[in-house]
Amino acid sequence: MDHSHEHLPTTEAAVAALRVLAARYAREIEVTHDIGADQTSRRSAAGIGAVTDPDGSLPHEAYAEFGGVPRVSVRLYPEDDALIEVEGIECHDIRRDDVPAFLRSVFDGLAHVRARRFPPGYRLVVPLPGDRAHKEYVPMTLLTPWLSSRVR
């Protein structure tokens, strides 16, 4: 069985979904692709100097940046997870399948920042399907105007 393109359709499909979202929310989108283990930012499976994964496939990573406010970028990893950055706040380990829902929550204004009095602190809360939510700590120094406007 030939697995040489195993990762490509998934990353391509994910990128296509990001382009659809960008169009729906009238946001500009810029996408860059890194293909091959020597190009991608993290490889657990491939050895140093290896260009393919042990199964012979080329790892494919993509980075997408959306225009407008809030500032949002998405890095799709070959391992089927993603890093989404919202106004400089890094949200790690987002399942690739959750990426479109995560972005819709942000662009639809459902994402908010929860303030805690004691100990003082902020968390970015992004609702996901199935009564789940991604929560990420927000240092006070990183509270941008957009994040501040989302504080509840």
Side-chain angles (χ1 to χ4, degrees), residues 45-130:
I48 293 171
V51 182
T52 58
D53 278 348
D55 65 3
S57 67
L58 281 174
H60 180 185
E61 188 172 297
Y63 177 77
E65 219 167 339
F66 290 88
V69 176
R71 294 188 329 271
V72 175
S73 67
V74 178
R75 182 167 290 284
L76 297 162
Y77 293 110
E79 288 88 0
D80 291 335
D81 66 323
L83 163 66
I84 300 180
E85 207 171 293
V86 179
E87 287 285 299
I89 304 305
E90 293 189 343
C91 302
H92 293 271
D93 303 320
I94 308 295
R95 291 206 331 253
R96 193 179 280 186
D97 295 347
D98 282 337
V99 169
F102 186 106
L103 295 173
R104 279 194 300 272
S105 274
V106 171
F107 296 151
D108 283 338
L110 301 173
H112 58 279
V113 174
R114 195 170 291 150
R116 206 175 50 204
R117 284 206 203 295
F118 191 82
Y122 297 91
R123 285 199 183 285
L124 174 65
V125 179
V126 181
L128 295 171

Side-chain angles (χ1 to χ4, degrees), residues 5-76:
H5 299 292
E6 201 169 299
H7 295 293
L8 292 175
T10 3
T11 300
E12 289 299 341
V15 167
L18 295 181
R19 291 188 189 281
V20 167
L21 281 168
R24 178 181 298 159
Y25 291 98
R27 311 275 298 236
E28 284 181 30
I29 185 172
E30 199 175 305
V31 179
T32 50
H33 293 270
D34 298 308
I35 299 174
D38 55 339
Q39 299 293 313
T40 54
S41 60
R42 66 165 202 218
R43 296 303 309 136
S44 45
I48 293 171
V51 182
T52 58
D53 278 348
D55 65 3
S57 67
L58 281 174
H60 180 185
E61 188 172 297
Y63 177 77
E65 219 167 339
F66 290 88
V69 176
R71 294 188 329 271
V72 175
S73 67
V74 178
R75 182 167 290 284
L76 297 162

